[in-house]
């Protein structure tokens, strides 16, 4: 991959920067990052708070030549790539992938992924893979409502890291995993994801538009759906939502 990194001291959202660039032809491998991100976007309309410059925020332009239906597993691939990159910083406590696209260490969130697809004539034109990693963040300064659920490399190791170096490690891992995913689809990375699946075997509840789904997580289907075994023994495929652990 030909990574080209574009840095700015400040941005509203690196996903917006990357999208604007991709709309006018930025190639695969263009990466947009900033020192301070003012209005970071999260999934389901949430905010990603990282205004103090101690979080690594970046967005990658990808142009996979695949079907739109295959894009659902791309955030899992990105989560796996970040998790593998963090292994060298966290040798004793591996980051776990929480479907659909969070990374947790010790049950607390260290990284969030927001992938946004732009399609053209029924096929993916580009995907913006936005990644936020709590690197040097002091969790005590986080808002009360997320404090207890978040962690950072600093909180876990007591050390501070060069954001640039962490970015390099993650890009190297994204390149490796993206190649595997392009060549073999989700089956090529499913074992590695299962081995790091935070939800596997756990009882969860997922709020959906009509009725919540509750049951035990049995895996992830090749199309990216979370497979939940309901109390009646039926397996239900869940395509979106937030899984809350029940036990
Ligand atoms: C989530 O946890 O809901 C996803 C958070 C994704 C945050 C990253 S930070 C870099 C990129 N730019 C954004 O505006 N969002 C993503």
């Amino acid at each position: 991959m030909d990574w080209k990194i574009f840095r700015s001291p400040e941005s509203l959202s690196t996903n917006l920067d990357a999208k604007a660039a991709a709309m006018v032809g930025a190639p695969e491998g263009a990466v947009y990052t900033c020192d301070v991100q003012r209005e970071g976007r999260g999934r389901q309309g949430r905010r990603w708070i990282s205004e103090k410059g101690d979080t690594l925020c970046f967005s990658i332009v990808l142009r996979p030549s695949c079907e739109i239906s295959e894009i659902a597993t791309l955030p899992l691939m990105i989560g796996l790539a970040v998790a593998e990159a963090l292994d060298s910083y966290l040798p004793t406590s591996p980051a776990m992938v929480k479907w659909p696209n969070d990374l947790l260490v010790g049950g607390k969130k260290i990284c969030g992924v927001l992938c946004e697809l732009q399609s053209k004539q029924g096929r993916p034109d580009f995907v913006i893979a936005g990644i936020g990693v709590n690197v040097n963040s002091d969790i005590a300064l986080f808002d009360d409502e997320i404090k207890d659920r978040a962690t950072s490399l600093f909180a876990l190791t007591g050390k501070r890291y060069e954001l640039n170096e962490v970015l390099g490690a993650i890009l190297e891992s994204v390149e490796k995993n993206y190649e595997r995913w392009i060549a073999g689809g989700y089956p090529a990375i499913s074992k590695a994801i299962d081995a790091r699946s935070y939800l596997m075997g756990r009882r969860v509840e997922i709020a959906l538009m009509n009725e919540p789904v509750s049951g035990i997580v049995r895996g992830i289907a090749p199309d990216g759906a979370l497979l939940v075994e309901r109390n009646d023994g039926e397996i239900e495929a869940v395509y979106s939502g937030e899984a809350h652990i029940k036990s």
Side-chain angles (χ1 to χ4, degrees), residues 21-90:
M23 293 296 276
V24 293
E28 174 156 281
V31 179
Y32 295 80
T33 185
C34 63
D35 296 335
V36 176
Q37 180 174 256
R38 296 272 176 222
E39 290 182 19
R41 287 139 44 100
R43 288 178 52 241
Q44 300 179 327
R46 288 188 297 244
R47 287 183 64 212
W48 173 265
I49 299 166
S50 51
E51 287 161 19
K52 295 179 186 69
D54 45 18
T55 300
L56 175 60
C57 297
F58 63 104
S59 302
I60 306 173
V61 177
L62 296 172
R63 294 186 179 273
S65 63
C66 64
E67 301 299 326
I68 284 186
S69 58
E70 293 171 83
I71 296 295
T73 62
L74 195 145
L76 291 163
M77 180 280 289
I78 295 283
L80 172 66
V82 179
E84 288 185 347
L86 294 187
D87 277 354
S88 56
Y89 301 93
L90 301 167

Side-chain angles (χ1 to χ4, degrees), residues 87-104:
D87 277 354
S88 56
Y89 301 93
L90 301 167
T92 55
S93 182
M96 305 295 278
V97 178
K98 180 174 181 243
W99 178 95
N101 47 8
D102 282 344
L103 275 196
L104 309 185

Side-chain angles (χ1 to χ4, degrees), residues 48-50 54-56 82 86 89-90 93-96 102-112 132-159 161 198:
W48 173 265
I49 299 166
S50 51
D54 45 18
T55 300
L56 175 60
V82 179
L86 294 187
Y89 301 93
L90 301 167
S93 182
M96 305 295 278
D102 282 344
L103 275 196
L104 309 185
V105 180
K108 296 185 175 190
K109 182 158 165 169
I110 193 163
C111 165
V133 187
N134 296 329
V135 175
N136 296 321
S137 328
D138 181 351
I139 303 300
L141 304 178
F142 277 27
D143 288 354
D144 282 347
E145 90 233 39
I146 52 171
K147 222 183 233 170
D148 295 340
R149 293 182 282 119
T151 191
S152 68
L153 283 184
F154 173 62
L156 290 161
T157 66
K159 293 184 198 153
Y161 301 87
Y198 181 69

Side-chain angles (χ1 to χ4, degrees), residues 141-206:
L141 304 178
F142 277 27
D143 288 354
D144 282 347
E145 90 233 39
I146 52 171
K147 222 183 233 170
D148 295 340
R149 293 182 282 119
T151 191
S152 68
L153 283 184
F154 173 62
L156 290 161
T157 66
K159 293 184 198 153
R160 297 196 187 271
Y161 301 87
E162 268 297 318
L163 295 187
N164 216 11
E165 193 223 289
V166 181
L167 172 62
I170 293 174
L171 291 179
E172 201 177 299
S173 181
V174 168
E175 178 163 5
K176 186 185 83 187
N177 282 286
Y178 185 55
E179 277 170 11
R180 284 159 76 193
W181 181 83
I182 287 285
Y186 188 68
I189 56 166
S190 63
K191 275 207 181 71
I193 299 221
D194 286 351
R196 289 182 186 265
S197 170
Y198 181 69
L199 296 177
M200 187 75 94
R202 294 200 191 220
R203 182 167 287 283
V204 297
E205 186 170 284
I206 302 159

